[in-house]
Amino acid sequence: ESVWFIAGALVLGVAASRTGLAQRLAYAVLARAGNSYPRLLLGFIVADFALTFLVPSGNARVTILAAVVAGLVLALDLPPRGPVARGLLLTVTYTAGIFDKMILAGAASILGRGLVEELTGIRISYAQWFLAYLPC
């Protein structure tokens, strides 16, 4: 079951990336967020969370959102290696890892869930997994 879930997640990620849906969703979230630094951080966190359901691979999400960060930094005429750009990239990277664990989107968490179910015989629903990681 875990292998098929990972394969399906990869197909969904490729489809969302190739159609441009992922970038359009990220731009829509950021358009509503505003242009102050805290609001941009919140916008990228929300965009990353929303993309978790469409692009279940953390690496793919970071790649998509890093391109959005680069475009945003250029559009706002900020230094490419400045603190704002670094902070946004760092936020995107860390939240991708957290959301992969929380939503059962990354390969490691899917494999972990599969191993727990196989070794203990206890079925873990996605809602139980989500509630367990919600404090993160």
Side-chain angles (χ1 to χ4, degrees):
E1 181 178 315
S2 296
V3 174
W4 287 110
F5 186 82
I6 292 171
L10 290 173
V11 169
L12 282 174
V14 169
S17 297
R18 291 224 174 137
T19 61
L21 176 64
Q23 284 184 327
R24 287 193 307 269
L25 178 64
Y27 285 130
V29 168
L30 290 172
R32 292 182 189 0
N35 60 359
S36 69
Y37 183 66
R39 306 234 340 147
L40 285 174
L41 282 176
L42 178 63
F44 274 102
I45 291 169
V46 169
D48 199 351
F49 183 72
L51 286 176
T52 303
F53 298 100
L54 293 175
V55 183
S57 168
N59 294 337
R61 275 195 326 277
V62 169
T63 303
I64 291 166
L65 290 174
V68 174
V69 167
L72 184 72
V73 166
L74 288 175
L76 295 177
D77 199 29
L78 297 169
R81 295 182 186 261
V84 172
R86 289 180 186 196
L88 291 174
L89 284 175
L90 191 64
T91 299
V92 165
T93 304
Y94 279 125
T95 56
I98 290 171
F99 293 149
D100 274 355
K101 309 288 182 293
M102 192 167 133
I103 308 291
L104 265 177
S109 57
I110 293 168
L111 179 63
R113 176 184 171 262
L115 286 173
V116 167
E117 286 185 354
E118 184 179 316
L119 296 174
T120 64
I122 299 171
R123 188 98 171 123
I124 301 172
S125 72
Y126 290 98
Q128 288 173 319
W129 190 276
F130 179 80
L131 288 174
Y133 273 95
L134 190 59
C136 289

